[in-house]
Amino acid sequence: VPHPRLRERAFVLVPLAELAPDLVHPGTGERVAELLARVGRKGVKPWEEKLELRGHHLLCLLGYHGQGYSPQHQEAMWAVKHRLRYFPQTRVQGKAAPDGVCQVCPWLREEGCFLLERPREGSVVSLDRRVLARLGLDGARPWQEVLGRVRERVRAADLPDICSPCPWLKTG
């Protein structure tokens, strides 16, 4: 992260230390963990809240390559994917209702999903419930545990049955 005052900024050092504590600052030769120990964590709050995601988004994120219903929808998916990749201890709550990713989807209406201007919320809720049941998710779990359940309980050959009629299934 190129910034001239990186070594003085706790808000940069805290997440960097979580990702790469042994990374060496090129100017000082100090490890990130050492820089953070000197600066301290004052004013930096951990990201503790749980992340609520539609059941089907739990699977979508694993094969997500950048497609989406709008640029904002794509950005939201990338943000969630990166957050979970770099912070796998994030607690995830699966649900069968619109989530934060859905909030920026151009097809979301007050009544739910209206993909291509047709009511789809019922089929999307059904899809969410199939995924949550397959994964046995009944509460908030760390993302790494959700990933473990996916590895144990979902095979590539299962996806057409679980994910039908999702238009994105063929992309990833």
PDB file of all heavy atoms in Angstrom, residues 112-148:
ATOM      1  N   GLY A 112     -39.967  -7.442  -3.738  1.00  0.00           N
ATOM      2  CA  GLY A 112     -38.883  -8.394  -3.936  1.00  0.00           C
ATOM      3  C   GLY A 112     -38.341  -8.334  -5.350  1.00  0.00           C
ATOM      4  O   GLY A 112     -38.416  -7.306  -6.021  1.00  0.00           O
ATOM      5  N   CYS A 113     -37.810  -9.455  -5.814  1.00  0.00           N
ATOM      6  CA  CYS A 113     -37.163  -9.531  -7.128  1.00  0.00           C
ATOM      7  C   CYS A 113     -38.190  -9.520  -8.256  1.00  0.00           C
ATOM      8  O   CYS A 113     -39.140 -10.306  -8.254  1.00  0.00           O
ATOM      9  CB  CYS A 113     -36.316 -10.797  -7.199  1.00  0.00           C
ATOM     10  SG  CYS A 113     -35.458 -10.994  -8.768  1.00  0.00           S
ATOM     11  N   PHE A 114     -37.959  -8.627  -9.223  1.00  0.00           N
ATOM     12  CA  PHE A 114     -38.792  -8.548 -10.426  1.00  0.00           C
ATOM     13  C   PHE A 114     -37.884  -8.611 -11.652  1.00  0.00           C
ATOM     14  O   PHE A 114     -37.888  -7.709 -12.486  1.00  0.00           O
ATOM     15  CB  PHE A 114     -39.607  -7.244 -10.436  1.00  0.00           C
ATOM     16  CG  PHE A 114     -40.951  -7.372  -9.801  1.00  0.00           C
ATOM     17  CD1 PHE A 114     -41.066  -7.562  -8.444  1.00  0.00           C
ATOM     18  CD2 PHE A 114     -42.105  -7.339 -10.568  1.00  0.00           C
ATOM     19  CE1 PHE A 114     -42.299  -7.693  -7.841  1.00  0.00           C
ATOM     20  CE2 PHE A 114     -43.350  -7.465  -9.975  1.00  0.00           C
ATOM     21  CZ  PHE A 114     -43.445  -7.643  -8.598  1.00  0.00           C
ATOM     22  N   LEU A 115     -37.109  -9.680 -11.760  1.00  0.00           N
ATOM     23  CA  LEU A 115     -36.175  -9.841 -12.866  1.00  0.00           C
ATOM     24  C   LEU A 115     -36.923  -9.760 -14.188  1.00  0.00           C
ATOM     25  O   LEU A 115     -37.939 -10.444 -14.381  1.00  0.00           O
ATOM     26  CB  LEU A 115     -35.434 -11.172 -12.748  1.00  0.00           C
ATOM     27  CG  LEU A 115     -34.396 -11.462 -13.817  1.00  0.00           C
ATOM     28  CD1 LEU A 115     -33.281 -10.413 -13.793  1.00  0.00           C
ATOM     29  CD2 LEU A 115     -33.797 -12.840 -13.615  1.00  0.00           C
ATOM     30  N   LEU A 116     -36.441  -8.906 -15.070  1.00  0.00           N
ATOM     31  CA  LEU A 116     -37.061  -8.677 -16.375  1.00  0.00           C
ATOM     32  C   LEU A 116     -38.531  -8.273 -16.235  1.00  0.00           C
ATOM     33  O   LEU A 116     -39.381  -8.654 -17.028  1.00  0.00           O
ATOM     34  CB  LEU A 116     -36.908  -9.899 -17.275  1.00  0.00           C
ATOM     35  CG  LEU A 116     -35.462 -10.343 -17.513  1.00  0.00           C
ATOM     36  CD1 LEU A 116     -35.418 -11.613 -18.331  1.00  0.00           C
ATOM     37  CD2 LEU A 116     -34.660  -9.236 -18.169  1.00  0.00           C
ATOM     38  N   GLU A 117     -38.799  -7.508 -15.158  1.00  0.00           N
ATOM     39  CA  GLU A 117     -40.134  -6.957 -14.881  1.00  0.00           C
ATOM     40  C   GLU A 117     -41.189  -8.021 -14.593  1.00  0.00           C
ATOM     41  O   GLU A 117     -42.374  -7.755 -14.703  1.00  0.00           O
ATOM     42  CB  GLU A 117     -40.594  -6.035 -16.029  1.00  0.00           C
ATOM     43  CG  GLU A 117     -39.687  -4.860 -16.281  1.00  0.00           C
ATOM     44  CD  GLU A 117     -39.539  -3.913 -15.082  1.00  0.00           C
ATOM     45  OE1 GLU A 117     -40.428  -3.857 -14.223  1.00  0.00           O
ATOM     46  OE2 GLU A 117     -38.504  -3.233 -15.009  1.00  0.00           O
ATOM     47  N   ARG A 118     -40.752  -9.230 -14.211  1.00  0.00           N
ATOM     48  CA  ARG A 118     -41.704 -10.276 -13.832  1.00  0.00           C
ATOM     49  C   ARG A 118     -41.435 -10.663 -12.382  1.00  0.00           C
ATOM     50  O   ARG A 118     -40.272 -10.751 -11.971  1.00  0.00           O
ATOM     51  CB  ARG A 118     -41.546 -11.494 -14.737  1.00  0.00           C
ATOM     52  CG  ARG A 118     -41.881 -11.142 -16.175  1.00  0.00           C
ATOM     53  CD  ARG A 118     -41.971 -12.287 -17.164  1.00  0.00           C
ATOM     54  NE  ARG A 118     -41.696 -13.613 -16.714  1.00  0.00           N
ATOM     55  CZ  ARG A 118     -40.794 -14.412 -17.291  1.00  0.00           C
ATOM     56  NH1 ARG A 118     -40.062 -13.995 -18.300  1.00  0.00           N
ATOM     57  NH2 ARG A 118     -40.616 -15.636 -16.866  1.00  0.00           N
ATOM     58  N   PRO A 119     -42.486 -10.893 -11.588  1.00  0.00           N
ATOM     59  CA  PRO A 119     -42.267 -11.270 -10.183  1.00  0.00           C
ATOM     60  C   PRO A 119     -41.494 -12.575 -10.076  1.00  0.00           C
ATOM     61  O   PRO A 119     -41.886 -13.586 -10.643  1.00  0.00           O
ATOM     62  CB  PRO A 119     -43.673 -11.398  -9.602  1.00  0.00           C
ATOM     63  CG  PRO A 119     -44.627 -11.252 -10.725  1.00  0.00           C
ATOM     64  CD  PRO A 119     -43.877 -10.844 -11.955  1.00  0.00           C
ATOM     65  N   ARG A 120     -40.377 -12.522  -9.364  1.00  0.00           N
ATOM     66  CA  ARG A 120     -39.518 -13.704  -9.209  1.00  0.00           C
ATOM     67  C   ARG A 120     -39.211 -14.019  -7.756  1.00  0.00           C
ATOM     68  O   ARG A 120     -38.499 -14.967  -7.475  1.00  0.00           O
ATOM     69  CB  ARG A 120     -38.178 -13.493  -9.927  1.00  0.00           C
ATOM     70  CG  ARG A 120     -38.263 -13.162 -11.376  1.00  0.00           C
ATOM     71  CD  ARG A 120     -38.486 -14.394 -12.190  1.00  0.00           C
ATOM     72  NE  ARG A 120     -38.564 -14.012 -13.590  1.00  0.00           N
ATOM     73  CZ  ARG A 120     -38.082 -14.709 -14.567  1.00  0.00           C
ATOM     74  NH1 ARG A 120     -37.489 -15.838 -14.320  1.00  0.00           N
ATOM     75  NH2 ARG A 120     -38.208 -14.289 -15.797  1.00  0.00           N
ATOM     76  N   GLU A 121     -39.667 -13.172  -6.840  1.00  0.00           N
ATOM     77  CA  GLU A 121     -39.268 -13.338  -5.441  1.00  0.00           C
ATOM     78  C   GLU A 121     -39.584 -14.735  -4.920  1.00  0.00           C
ATOM     79  O   GLU A 121     -38.778 -15.328  -4.211  1.00  0.00           O
ATOM     80  CB  GLU A 121     -39.918 -12.278  -4.554  1.00  0.00           C
ATOM     81  CG  GLU A 121     -39.415 -12.272  -3.120  1.00  0.00           C
ATOM     82  CD  GLU A 121     -37.938 -11.972  -2.970  1.00  0.00           C
ATOM     83  OE1 GLU A 121     -37.319 -11.381  -3.889  1.00  0.00           O
ATOM     84  OE2 GLU A 121     -37.366 -12.327  -1.930  1.00  0.00           O
ATOM     85  N   GLY A 122     -40.728 -15.287  -5.293  1.00  0.00           N
ATOM     86  CA  GLY A 122     -41.075 -16.635  -4.827  1.00  0.00           C
ATOM     87  C   GLY A 122     -40.051 -17.673  -5.242  1.00  0.00           C
ATOM     88  O   GLY A 122     -39.628 -18.500  -4.429  1.00  0.00           O
ATOM     89  N   SER A 123     -39.613 -17.636  -6.490  1.00  0.00           N
ATOM     90  CA  SER A 123     -38.631 -18.623  -6.944  1.00  0.00           C
ATOM     91  C   SER A 123     -37.259 -18.357  -6.342  1.00  0.00           C
ATOM     92  O   SER A 123     -36.511 -19.290  -6.058  1.00  0.00           O
ATOM     93  CB  SER A 123     -38.557 -18.676  -8.469  1.00  0.00           C
ATOM     94  OG  SER A 123     -38.112 -17.453  -9.000  1.00  0.00           O
ATOM     95  N   VAL A 124     -36.938 -17.075  -6.091  1.00  0.00           N
ATOM     96  CA  VAL A 124     -35.645 -16.762  -5.478  1.00  0.00           C
ATOM     97  C   VAL A 124     -35.647 -17.195  -4.008  1.00  0.00           C
ATOM     98  O   VAL A 124     -34.658 -17.761  -3.524  1.00  0.00           O
ATOM     99  CB  VAL A 124     -35.298 -15.263  -5.622  1.00  0.00           C
ATOM    100  CG1 VAL A 124     -33.974 -14.946  -4.948  1.00  0.00           C
ATOM    101  CG2 VAL A 124     -35.240 -14.861  -7.086  1.00  0.00           C
ATOM    102  N   VAL A 125     -36.749 -16.980  -3.310  1.00  0.00           N
ATOM    103  CA  VAL A 125     -36.859 -17.448  -1.923  1.00  0.00           C
ATOM    104  C   VAL A 125     -36.732 -18.967  -1.872  1.00  0.00           C
ATOM    105  O   VAL A 125     -36.053 -19.516  -0.997  1.00  0.00           O
ATOM    106  CB  VAL A 125     -38.194 -16.972  -1.287  1.00  0.00           C
ATOM    107  CG1 VAL A 125     -38.492 -17.725   0.005  1.00  0.00           C
ATOM    108  CG2 VAL A 125     -38.154 -15.475  -1.027  1.00  0.00           C
ATOM    109  N   SER A 126     -37.353 -19.657  -2.813  1.00  0.00           N
ATOM    110  CA  SER A 126     -37.250 -21.113  -2.875  1.00  0.00           C
ATOM    111  C   SER A 126     -35.798 -21.537  -3.076  1.00  0.00           C
ATOM    112  O   SER A 126     -35.310 -22.475  -2.433  1.00  0.00           O
ATOM    113  CB  SER A 126     -38.131 -21.634  -4.013  1.00  0.00           C
ATOM    114  OG  SER A 126     -38.002 -23.017  -4.139  1.00  0.00           O
ATOM    115  N   LEU A 127     -35.095 -20.852  -3.965  1.00  0.00           N
ATOM    116  CA  LEU A 127     -33.678 -21.116  -4.199  1.00  0.00           C
ATOM    117  C   LEU A 127     -32.869 -20.874  -2.924  1.00  0.00           C
ATOM    118  O   LEU A 127     -32.034 -21.706  -2.540  1.00  0.00           O
ATOM    119  CB  LEU A 127     -33.175 -20.227  -5.340  1.00  0.00           C
ATOM    120  CG  LEU A 127     -31.688 -20.220  -5.651  1.00  0.00           C
ATOM    121  CD1 LEU A 127     -31.171 -21.603  -5.975  1.00  0.00           C
ATOM    122  CD2 LEU A 127     -31.417 -19.268  -6.809  1.00  0.00           C
ATOM    123  N   ASP A 128     -33.124 -19.752  -2.260  1.00  0.00           N
ATOM    124  CA  ASP A 128     -32.428 -19.461  -1.000  1.00  0.00           C
ATOM    125  C   ASP A 128     -32.631 -20.585   0.010  1.00  0.00           C
ATOM    126  O   ASP A 128     -31.675 -21.046   0.650  1.00  0.00           O
ATOM    127  CB  ASP A 128     -32.942 -18.155  -0.383  1.00  0.00           C
ATOM    128  CG  ASP A 128     -32.598 -16.922  -1.179  1.00  0.00           C
ATOM    129  OD1 ASP A 128     -31.567 -16.929  -1.880  1.00  0.00           O
ATOM    130  OD2 ASP A 128     -33.356 -15.933  -1.085  1.00  0.00           O
ATOM    131  N   ARG A 129     -33.871 -21.015   0.143  1.00  0.00           N
ATOM    132  CA  ARG A 129     -34.185 -22.064   1.122  1.00  0.00           C
ATOM    133  C   ARG A 129     -33.521 -23.385   0.776  1.00  0.00           C
ATOM    134  O   ARG A 129     -33.071 -24.113   1.667  1.00  0.00           O
ATOM    135  CB  ARG A 129     -35.694 -22.231   1.231  1.00  0.00           C
ATOM    136  CG  ARG A 129     -36.346 -21.056   1.944  1.00  0.00           C
ATOM    137  CD  ARG A 129     -37.834 -21.241   2.096  1.00  0.00           C
ATOM    138  NE  ARG A 129     -38.403 -20.114   2.820  1.00  0.00           N
ATOM    139  CZ  ARG A 129     -39.628 -19.654   2.630  1.00  0.00           C
ATOM    140  NH1 ARG A 129     -40.432 -20.232   1.736  1.00  0.00           N
ATOM    141  NH2 ARG A 129     -40.063 -18.628   3.324  1.00  0.00           N
ATOM    142  N   ARG A 130     -33.440 -23.720  -0.513  1.00  0.00           N
ATOM    143  CA  ARG A 130     -32.756 -24.957  -0.921  1.00  0.00           C
ATOM    144  C   ARG A 130     -31.279 -24.913  -0.523  1.00  0.00           C
ATOM    145  O   ARG A 130     -30.733 -25.895  -0.018  1.00  0.00           O
ATOM    146  CB  ARG A 130     -32.880 -25.175  -2.426  1.00  0.00           C
ATOM    147  CG  ARG A 130     -34.224 -25.682  -2.872  1.00  0.00           C
ATOM    148  CD  ARG A 130     -34.215 -26.232  -4.297  1.00  0.00           C
ATOM    149  NE  ARG A 130     -33.667 -25.379  -5.320  1.00  0.00           N
ATOM    150  CZ  ARG A 130     -34.372 -24.489  -6.030  1.00  0.00           C
ATOM    151  NH1 ARG A 130     -35.657 -24.316  -5.809  1.00  0.00           N
ATOM    152  NH2 ARG A 130     -33.791 -23.772  -6.968  1.00  0.00           N
ATOM    153  N   VAL A 131     -30.644 -23.771  -0.768  1.00  0.00           N
ATOM    154  CA  VAL A 131     -29.218 -23.645  -0.420  1.00  0.00           C
ATOM    155  C   VAL A 131     -29.028 -23.717   1.092  1.00  0.00           C
ATOM    156  O   VAL A 131     -28.159 -24.448   1.584  1.00  0.00           O
ATOM    157  CB  VAL A 131     -28.629 -22.334  -0.989  1.00  0.00           C
ATOM    158  CG1 VAL A 131     -27.215 -22.107  -0.465  1.00  0.00           C
ATOM    159  CG2 VAL A 131     -28.641 -22.352  -2.510  1.00  0.00           C
ATOM    160  N   LEU A 132     -29.832 -22.969   1.843  1.00  0.00           N
ATOM    161  CA  LEU A 132     -29.688 -22.964   3.307  1.00  0.00           C
ATOM    162  C   LEU A 132     -29.931 -24.351   3.891  1.00  0.00           C
ATOM    163  O   LEU A 132     -29.210 -24.779   4.799  1.00  0.00           O
ATOM    164  CB  LEU A 132     -30.634 -21.937   3.926  1.00  0.00           C
ATOM    165  CG  LEU A 132     -30.320 -20.478   3.585  1.00  0.00           C
ATOM    166  CD1 LEU A 132     -31.441 -19.560   4.064  1.00  0.00           C
ATOM    167  CD2 LEU A 132     -28.978 -20.051   4.146  1.00  0.00           C
ATOM    168  N   ALA A 133     -30.916 -25.070   3.353  1.00  0.00           N
ATOM    169  CA  ALA A 133     -31.184 -26.430   3.832  1.00  0.00           C
ATOM    170  C   ALA A 133     -30.022 -27.360   3.495  1.00  0.00           C
ATOM    171  O   ALA A 133     -29.587 -28.162   4.330  1.00  0.00           O
ATOM    172  CB  ALA A 133     -32.484 -26.958   3.221  1.00  0.00           C
ATOM    173  N   ARG A 134     -29.505 -27.258   2.298  1.00  0.00           N
ATOM    174  CA  ARG A 134     -28.381 -28.111   1.879  1.00  0.00           C
ATOM    175  C   ARG A 134     -27.170 -27.882   2.779  1.00  0.00           C
ATOM    176  O   ARG A 134     -26.462 -28.822   3.137  1.00  0.00           O
ATOM    177  CB  ARG A 134     -28.029 -27.819   0.419  1.00  0.00           C
ATOM    178  CG  ARG A 134     -26.809 -28.535  -0.120  1.00  0.00           C
ATOM    179  CD  ARG A 134     -26.963 -30.049  -0.197  1.00  0.00           C
ATOM    180  NE  ARG A 134     -27.856 -30.506  -1.221  1.00  0.00           N
ATOM    181  CZ  ARG A 134     -27.486 -31.027  -2.370  1.00  0.00           C
ATOM    182  NH1 ARG A 134     -26.227 -31.185  -2.661  1.00  0.00           N
ATOM    183  NH2 ARG A 134     -28.393 -31.409  -3.229  1.00  0.00           N
ATOM    184  N   LEU A 135     -26.943 -26.626   3.144  1.00  0.00           N
ATOM    185  CA  LEU A 135     -25.780 -26.294   3.981  1.00  0.00           C
ATOM    186  C   LEU A 135     -26.066 -26.459   5.468  1.00  0.00           C
ATOM    187  O   LEU A 135     -25.146 -26.383   6.281  1.00  0.00           O
ATOM    188  CB  LEU A 135     -25.314 -24.867   3.687  1.00  0.00           C
ATOM    189  CG  LEU A 135     -24.861 -24.597   2.253  1.00  0.00           C
ATOM    190  CD1 LEU A 135     -24.425 -23.151   2.095  1.00  0.00           C
ATOM    191  CD2 LEU A 135     -23.757 -25.548   1.830  1.00  0.00           C
ATOM    192  N   GLY A 136     -27.322 -26.665   5.831  1.00  0.00           N
ATOM    193  CA  GLY A 136     -27.668 -26.816   7.247  1.00  0.00           C
ATOM    194  C   GLY A 136     -27.403 -25.561   8.048  1.00  0.00           C
ATOM    195  O   GLY A 136     -26.984 -25.636   9.202  1.00  0.00           O
ATOM    196  N   LEU A 137     -27.668 -24.401   7.446  1.00  0.00           N
ATOM    197  CA  LEU A 137     -27.406 -23.135   8.132  1.00  0.00           C
ATOM    198  C   LEU A 137     -28.672 -22.633   8.808  1.00  0.00           C
ATOM    199  O   LEU A 137     -29.669 -22.367   8.160  1.00  0.00           O
ATOM    200  CB  LEU A 137     -26.890 -22.086   7.146  1.00  0.00           C
ATOM    201  CG  LEU A 137     -25.519 -22.377   6.550  1.00  0.00           C
ATOM    202  CD1 LEU A 137     -25.162 -21.334   5.515  1.00  0.00           C
ATOM    203  CD2 LEU A 137     -24.467 -22.429   7.644  1.00  0.00           C
ATOM    204  N   ASP A 138     -28.591 -22.498  10.116  1.00  0.00           N
ATOM    205  CA  ASP A 138     -29.735 -22.032  10.883  1.00  0.00           C
ATOM    206  C   ASP A 138     -29.400 -20.812  11.736  1.00  0.00           C
ATOM    207  O   ASP A 138     -30.208 -20.361  12.520  1.00  0.00           O
ATOM    208  CB  ASP A 138     -30.264 -23.155  11.766  1.00  0.00           C
ATOM    209  CG  ASP A 138     -29.180 -23.724  12.669  1.00  0.00           C
ATOM    210  OD1 ASP A 138     -28.022 -23.276  12.586  1.00  0.00           O
ATOM    211  OD2 ASP A 138     -29.496 -24.626  13.467  1.00  0.00           O
ATOM    212  N   GLY A 139     -28.211 -20.286  11.596  1.00  0.00           N
ATOM    213  CA  GLY A 139     -27.785 -19.116  12.362  1.00  0.00           C
ATOM    214  C   GLY A 139     -26.513 -18.552  11.763  1.00  0.00           C
ATOM    215  O   GLY A 139     -26.026 -19.042  10.748  1.00  0.00           O
ATOM    216  N   ALA A 140     -25.986 -17.518  12.380  1.00  0.00           N
ATOM    217  CA  ALA A 140     -24.749 -16.897  11.887  1.00  0.00           C
ATOM    218  C   ALA A 140     -23.572 -17.837  12.144  1.00  0.00           C
ATOM    219  O   ALA A 140     -23.444 -18.396  13.227  1.00  0.00           O
ATOM    220  CB  ALA A 140     -24.524 -15.550  12.563  1.00  0.00           C
ATOM    221  N   ARG A 141     -22.742 -17.986  11.126  1.00  0.00           N
ATOM    222  CA  ARG A 141     -21.561 -18.849  11.198  1.00  0.00           C
ATOM    223  C   ARG A 141     -20.376 -18.112  10.585  1.00  0.00           C
ATOM    224  O   ARG A 141     -20.544 -17.332   9.653  1.00  0.00           O
ATOM    225  CB  ARG A 141     -21.777 -20.129  10.390  1.00  0.00           C
ATOM    226  CG  ARG A 141     -22.984 -20.914  10.765  1.00  0.00           C
ATOM    227  CD  ARG A 141     -22.611 -21.918  11.820  1.00  0.00           C
ATOM    228  NE  ARG A 141     -23.735 -22.791  12.051  1.00  0.00           N
ATOM    229  CZ  ARG A 141     -24.292 -22.955  13.238  1.00  0.00           C
ATOM    230  NH1 ARG A 141     -23.828 -22.316  14.276  1.00  0.00           N
ATOM    231  NH2 ARG A 141     -25.306 -23.764  13.403  1.00  0.00           N
ATOM    232  N   PRO A 142     -19.161 -18.392  11.047  1.00  0.00           N
ATOM    233  CA  PRO A 142     -17.991 -17.809  10.382  1.00  0.00           C
ATOM    234  C   PRO A 142     -17.933 -18.276   8.924  1.00  0.00           C
ATOM    235  O   PRO A 142     -18.267 -19.428   8.619  1.00  0.00           O
ATOM    236  CB  PRO A 142     -16.807 -18.362  11.179  1.00  0.00           C
ATOM    237  CG  PRO A 142     -17.382 -18.794  12.488  1.00  0.00           C
ATOM    238  CD  PRO A 142     -18.801 -19.215  12.201  1.00  0.00           C
ATOM    239  N   TRP A 143     -17.509 -17.378   8.038  1.00  0.00           N
ATOM    240  CA  TRP A 143     -17.459 -17.704   6.609  1.00  0.00           C
ATOM    241  C   TRP A 143     -16.644 -18.959   6.350  1.00  0.00           C
ATOM    242  O   TRP A 143     -17.007 -19.769   5.510  1.00  0.00           O
ATOM    243  CB  TRP A 143     -16.918 -16.514   5.829  1.00  0.00           C
ATOM    244  CG  TRP A 143     -16.756 -16.772   4.365  1.00  0.00           C
ATOM    245  CD1 TRP A 143     -15.599 -16.766   3.655  1.00  0.00           C
ATOM    246  CD2 TRP A 143     -17.789 -17.070   3.415  1.00  0.00           C
ATOM    247  NE1 TRP A 143     -15.841 -17.042   2.324  1.00  0.00           N
ATOM    248  CE2 TRP A 143     -17.185 -17.227   2.153  1.00  0.00           C
ATOM    249  CE3 TRP A 143     -19.173 -17.225   3.511  1.00  0.00           C
ATOM    250  CZ2 TRP A 143     -17.911 -17.532   0.999  1.00  0.00           C
ATOM    251  CZ3 TRP A 143     -19.893 -17.521   2.353  1.00  0.00           C
ATOM    252  CH2 TRP A 143     -19.263 -17.673   1.117  1.00  0.00           C
ATOM    253  N   GLN A 144     -15.523 -19.150   7.069  1.00  0.00           N
ATOM    254  CA  GLN A 144     -14.721 -20.346   6.809  1.00  0.00           C
ATOM    255  C   GLN A 144     -15.516 -21.612   7.131  1.00  0.00           C
ATOM    256  O   GLN A 144     -15.332 -22.640   6.483  1.00  0.00           O
ATOM    257  CB  GLN A 144     -13.364 -20.314   7.525  1.00  0.00           C
ATOM    258  CG  GLN A 144     -13.422 -20.386   9.028  1.00  0.00           C
ATOM    259  CD  GLN A 144     -13.208 -19.056   9.688  1.00  0.00           C
ATOM    260  OE1 GLN A 144     -13.528 -18.017   9.144  1.00  0.00           O
ATOM    261  NE2 GLN A 144     -12.678 -19.060  10.888  1.00  0.00           N
ATOM    262  N   GLU A 145     -16.430 -21.560   8.086  1.00  0.00           N
ATOM    263  CA  GLU A 145     -17.284 -22.719   8.368  1.00  0.00           C
ATOM    264  C   GLU A 145     -18.288 -22.930   7.238  1.00  0.00           C
ATOM    265  O   GLU A 145     -18.565 -24.073   6.838  1.00  0.00           O
ATOM    266  CB  GLU A 145     -18.030 -22.531   9.689  1.00  0.00           C
ATOM    267  CG  GLU A 145     -18.895 -23.722  10.047  1.00  0.00           C
ATOM    268  CD  GLU A 145     -19.645 -23.555  11.355  1.00  0.00           C
ATOM    269  OE1 GLU A 145     -19.111 -22.916  12.293  1.00  0.00           O
ATOM    270  OE2 GLU A 145     -20.773 -24.076  11.438  1.00  0.00           O
ATOM    271  N   VAL A 146     -18.853 -21.841   6.710  1.00  0.00           N
ATOM    272  CA  VAL A 146     -19.772 -21.951   5.574  1.00  0.00           C
ATOM    273  C   VAL A 146     -19.049 -22.603   4.396  1.00  0.00           C
ATOM    274  O   VAL A 146     -19.584 -23.505   3.750  1.00  0.00           O
ATOM    275  CB  VAL A 146     -20.345 -20.572   5.183  1.00  0.00           C
ATOM    276  CG1 VAL A 146     -21.180 -20.660   3.911  1.00  0.00           C
ATOM    277  CG2 VAL A 146     -21.167 -19.982   6.331  1.00  0.00           C
ATOM    278  N   LEU A 147     -17.819 -22.173   4.138  1.00  0.00           N
ATOM    279  CA  LEU A 147     -17.040 -22.770   3.049  1.00  0.00           C
ATOM    280  C   LEU A 147     -16.829 -24.266   3.273  1.00  0.00           C
ATOM    281  O   LEU A 147     -16.911 -25.060   2.339  1.00  0.00           O
ATOM    282  CB  LEU A 147     -15.682 -22.076   2.917  1.00  0.00           C
ATOM    283  CG  LEU A 147     -15.690 -20.681   2.340  1.00  0.00           C
ATOM    284  CD1 LEU A 147     -14.282 -20.091   2.375  1.00  0.00           C
ATOM    285  CD2 LEU A 147     -16.234 -20.671   0.931  1.00  0.00           C
ATOM    286  N   GLY A 148     -16.541 -24.650   4.503  1.00  0.00           N
ATOM    287  CA  GLY A 148     -16.379 -26.064   4.825  1.00  0.00           C
ATOM    288  C   GLY A 148     -17.646 -26.859   4.545  1.00  0.00           C
ATOM    289  O   GLY A 148     -17.589 -27.976   4.016  1.00  0.00           O
TER     290      GLY A 148
END
